[in-house]
Amino acid sequence: ELKLNNPIDDISNIMKVAKGTVKIELDNDKGVASGFFLKLERNNKEFYCLMTNAHVITKEMITNQEKIKIKYDNETKEINLELNEKERIIFCFMDFSIDITIIEIIPKDGIKDKTYFLNPKTDNNYEEFIGKNIQIIQFPDGKKLSKSEQKITERFTKIDYMFYHNASTIEGSSGSPIILKDDDKVLG
């Protein structure tokens, strides 16, 4: 039996992940989804980003320079973000195996506190993670920040970095961070 999304009343054991998990409110009543702030490093340079699914923030939305509202720190803070490739690096890719959008957060967005940005888990040996407990921190149906707990069930055999899990997610959970239980690094 799967545990349904449980509102997070005590976030002390996942404080950092809860602070960096965001509710994305799309313009023109297109809906609500989840995402998270992520710190990436490339060529010894740090990039601070918003990550979600490409079916949440689409290439069309980026082309049209739409605006989205991001609520974070358990919805105590918010920013309006313009999807403008001239000012920020934006990566949006969707195919059968990858469904991600990454948007650079720039100084004018006003997020000075870098503790909101989560670190990726870089020692991803998914074989050793099979059977391990995970948590998905999310805003299901755009409601209160919640978590779903279950296990990684198996690795996707054709692509090393993909895995299956049996944690519950529903509409509005797309783009949520997946972490190993008792870890604050993003696994997926």
Side-chain angles (χ1 to χ4, degrees):
E1 177 182 325
L2 296 179
K3 292 182 181 178
L4 295 176
N5 298 302
N6 300 311
I8 300 174
D9 295 319
D10 177 13
I11 61 172
S12 58
N13 68 327
I14 53 169
M15 179 69 76
K16 182 172 180 153
V17 180
K19 282 178 66 170
T21 300
V22 304
K23 179 188 282 187
I24 301 170
E25 294 180 353
L26 304 173
D27 210 9
N28 301 323
D29 295 324
K30 290 182 181 173
V32 176
S34 300
F36 56 96
F37 290 132
L38 185 68
K39 180 175 82 172
L40 299 173
E41 189 175 311
R42 184 169 186 179
N43 299 327
N44 295 319
K45 184 177 178 188
E46 292 179 339
F47 295 89
Y48 295 91
C49 306
L50 166 70
M51 187 167 184
T52 190
N53 289 121
H55 70 268
V56 171
I57 298 177
T58 65
K59 287 182 181 180
E60 179 182 84
M61 291 169 65
I62 294 164
T63 300
N64 295 337
Q65 297 183 11
E66 291 186 29
K67 291 184 180 174
I68 57 175
K69 184 181 288 185
I70 307 296
K71 293 184 176 182
Y72 61 103
D73 197 359
N74 208 7
E75 297 188 85
T76 62
K77 296 179 174 62
E78 70 178 55
I79 59 171
N80 291 306
L81 200 69
E82 184 180 340
L83 305 176
N84 183 341
E85 285 185 289
K86 292 179 182 142
E87 294 183 315
R88 59 182 87 235
I89 298 166
I90 299 179
F91 175 79
C92 184
F93 189 78
M94 187 167 158
D95 73 4
F96 81 99
S97 64
I98 300 174
D99 178 14
I100 62 169
T101 295
I102 299 172
I103 299 169
E104 183 183 19
I105 300 297
I106 56 177
K108 86 171 200 176
D109 295 325
I111 304 175
K112 295 177 183 166
D113 184 352
K114 301 304 183 201
T115 63
Y116 293 111
F117 293 86
L118 307 175
N119 293 306
K121 191 159 187 65
T122 56
D123 57 338
N124 294 345
N125 177 357
Y126 293 109
E127 282 296 328
E128 81 178 51
F129 297 149
I130 294 172
K132 298 272 184 177
N133 291 324
I134 60 166
Q135 295 178 319
I136 300 177
I137 313 305
Q138 57 196 324
F139 287 96
D141 270 341
K143 295 189 174 128
K144 189 175 179 182
L145 186 65
S146 300
K147 70 179 175 181
S148 179
E149 296 183 29
Q150 274 297 329
K151 297 183 182 299
I152 293 177
T153 56
E154 62 185 290
R155 189 168 111 341
F156 188 71
T157 55
K158 298 192 188 308
I159 302 172
D160 285 342
Y161 57 82
M162 291 184 66
F163 59 90
Y164 293 104
H165 63 79
N166 58 6
S168 296
T169 58
I170 60 174
E171 191 171 323
S173 299
S174 292
S176 301
I178 301 171
I179 59 172
L180 289 174
K181 190 169 183 175
D182 302 322
D183 193 352
D184 65 3
K185 292 188 172 66
V186 177
L187 180 63

